[in-house]
Amino acid sequence: SMMEKRLRVAKRLLKPDGVLIVTIDEHEVHHLGMLLEKLYPEVYRQMVTIVINPKGVTQGRFSRVEEYALFVFMPGATVTGRGDDLLTPGIEKENEEPLNVDEKQRPRWKGLLRSGSDARRQDREDMFYPVLIDPERQAVVGTGEPLPLEQEPNFESKIGGLACAWPVRRDESLGRWAVGPTTLRSLIEKGYVAVGGYDHKRKTWAISYLSKEPREQIDAGLLEVLSYDEDRNVVDVAYTDVAKRRLKSVWHRTRHDAGVGGSDVLQAIFGSRVFPFPKSVYAVADCLSAVLRDRPNALVVDAFAGSGTTLHATCLLNAEDDGDRRCILVTNNEVEDATAKELNKDGFYRGSSKYEAQGVFERVARPRCEAVVTGKRRDGTPIPGKHLGGRLFAEGFLENVEFYALDYLDPDEVDLGLQFEAILPALWMAAGGVGDREKPEEGQGYSMPEGSTYGVLFKESRFRHFREALEKLPEVTHVWLVTDSEEAYAEMRSALPGRLLVSMLYRDYLRNFRINTERNL
């Protein structure tokens, strides 16, 4: 019941190409899924599993490592591919532009000769066998059978007219191959094994192959086979262009760890643990990036602001691509139950400054937003440390942040035009939150702040001047006309350019607000 009303409101707020993202744990994911199916039956919904705690939290019989992000896509919404599919190991860098064949990044082919520990012949007897080489073609064509430990290899012998490569280490001791003969034969058939130069000292060839990771990347579509050399029996593989790398529905990245990207980040900002179970800012950033990567002017709304992670993530996205995405956080100033009881016991209740100072907004969300943008803690000291991408916390961001208290207004005062300053922030945000806000100059009769996208007419007698000012400012998109006359409003509206979104204040403001909040509830 708590979620349903908010999800209905969210549906009305979503643009035709908007996306709703809800993160949830395993206890309520199925209830939420059914609720979304009920409220959004006509649109596409998909769930992403995000590994947020690889160590696991023991609950019941299994150790939980994940949470879920449910995406609700309005008809015009899409997901943008990127270099990292957020699941396949080893792919965490992105290429922004399609590359020519010669510019494409290629994976590292691994040496077939085992190195490091467990690399001697006697460590794995079945891994000591001849690899068959065709020197004329410079090709690996097959394998022999493993040689028993008590037998010594004959480096000069041939099998079926083919030369034999043996696993000989740099110190000329006998080693072993990294894979068995059956596996290697299957790799040879696919062109995943290549022969290098002959080492006269060791009397063997250098051999390399595509290890498990790049083979999985081929299956996942992150690597593509560009060509095949029939003589050498070797494929040429390279990483695919960004557009071909689609995000997976399971995400497993170190940066999504709630400790690394959540608790540790707050620890750096506050110097202590001030908020339980914060989300990784990088996991939230990846959620946003999936749908906003190609939308640098998008508006992000988070109605459950918590510690302010969504604003932090939006800042990261803007810094990454020089975007102008805006973020609106909405939260109450909830005080934890135990703290609230202690405050009540001492005579402090909701509304008192000491009580409100312990709320999640005043204690966590607001100081975090301020610190993230300025790069400084509340005491003025630079935030130590840096983001995972290398950006210093102390560098801050270019965003501006403003805070507003949502309150009730006296309807009579609104009708009389006595509450314009209280309503002004809502008008400014409705017009995109662009430019300045200011009270009208004395006697001017209207407000049209320089650089902003809205105008408000207070006196009907100043309409001609108001319209002339609008003609000089094509960037203005929203207009509010203050009048109590439906006829006067209609007449003025008809005289304004059709490109404008025009509304009536103040009576119309109250009426529309009441209708919009009651609709579909």
Side-chain angles (χ1 to χ4, degrees), residues 84-85 87-93 105-110 179 187 192 209-224 237 239 253:
D84 180 8
D85 69 2
L87 175 63
T88 306
I91 299 296
E92 298 195 30
K93 294 183 178 180
Q105 182 182 359
R106 283 156 172 85
R108 175 179 173 271
W109 288 59
K110 188 175 182 180
V179 298
L187 298 179
Y192 293 173
Y209 74 111
L210 286 177
S211 59
K212 182 179 179 181
E213 184 174 298
R215 297 199 306 268
E216 290 177 343
Q217 292 168 357
I218 291 174
D219 294 337
L222 298 179
L223 280 172
E224 60 181 337
V237 295
Y239 289 107
R253 288 290 176 259

Side-chain angles (χ1 to χ4, degrees), residues 110-121 123-124 127 167-170 174-179 207 209:
K110 188 175 182 180
L112 184 62
L113 180 65
R114 172 80 177 193
S115 60
S117 61
D118 190 34
R120 301 175 302 168
R121 177 186 181 184
D123 292 329
R124 289 289 300 272
M127 297 289 197
V168 181
R169 305 169 74 183
R170 289 185 178 179
L174 299 181
R176 72 173 183 87
W177 300 123
V179 298
I207 300 174
Y209 74 111

Side-chain angles (χ1 to χ4, degrees), residues 343-398:
L343 289 168
N344 293 162
K345 185 178 178 181
D346 294 336
F348 300 101
Y349 297 91
R350 185 179 300 278
S352 66
S353 58
K354 189 164 185 177
Y355 185 97
E356 296 298 332
Q358 296 303 311
V360 66
F361 169 72
E362 294 291 352
R363 189 171 57 88
V364 184
R366 178 169 187 156
R368 178 183 185 174
C369 293
E370 293 171 341
V372 163
V373 172
T374 64
K376 298 178 180 179
R377 291 173 171 173
R378 276 199 161 178
D379 61 6
T381 59
I383 303 173
K386 58 186 178 181
H387 294 92
L388 291 183
R391 184 187 183 92
L392 296 175
F393 288 130
E395 186 177 349
F397 294 94
L398 294 177

Side-chain angles (χ1 to χ4, degrees), residues 17 30 101 120 170 180 206 232 261 383 396 454 480 513 518:
D17 59 351
H30 300 298
V101 172
R120 301 175 302 168
R170 289 185 178 179
R232 297 182 62 237
I383 303 173
Y454 76 95
W480 284 271
F513 180 80
E518 291 177 354

Side-chain angles (χ1 to χ4, degrees), residues 41 160 167 187 198 218 248 256 269 296 298 322 396 433:
L187 298 179
Y198 181 77
I218 291 174
K248 299 295 192 292
H256 295 166
I269 293 173
D322 198 28

Side-chain angles (χ1 to χ4, degrees), residues 403-450:
F403 301 96
Y404 301 101
L406 292 174
D407 209 342
Y408 294 99
L409 299 179
D410 186 318
D412 293 331
E413 290 186 356
V414 173
D415 270 340
L416 293 173
L418 302 179
Q419 286 287 5
F420 175 70
E421 289 186 53
I423 294 175
L424 181 56
L427 305 183
W428 176 73
M429 285 192 286
V434 179
D436 297 326
R437 302 187 314 274
E438 60 183 23
K439 295 170 61 178
E441 296 180 10
E442 190 70 29
Q444 180 170 295
Y446 63 85
S447 175
M448 202 175 298
E450 183 177 355

Side-chain angles (χ1 to χ4, degrees), residues 50 82 86 251 253-266 278-290 309-310 312-314 316-317 320 368 385-393 397:
I50 308 175
R82 55 186 295 171
L86 299 181
W251 297 356
R253 288 290 176 259
T254 302
R255 64 181 181 271
H256 295 166
D257 188 319
V260 172
S263 299
D264 290 353
V265 171
L266 290 189
K279 297 185 183 301
S280 167
V281 64
Y282 310 109
V284 175
D286 282 337
C287 284
L288 297 179
S289 177
T309 305
T310 301
H312 192 168
T314 304
L316 284 172
L317 286 186
E320 181 180 301
R368 178 183 185 174
K386 58 186 178 181
H387 294 92
L388 291 183
R391 184 187 183 92
L392 296 175
F393 288 130
F397 294 94

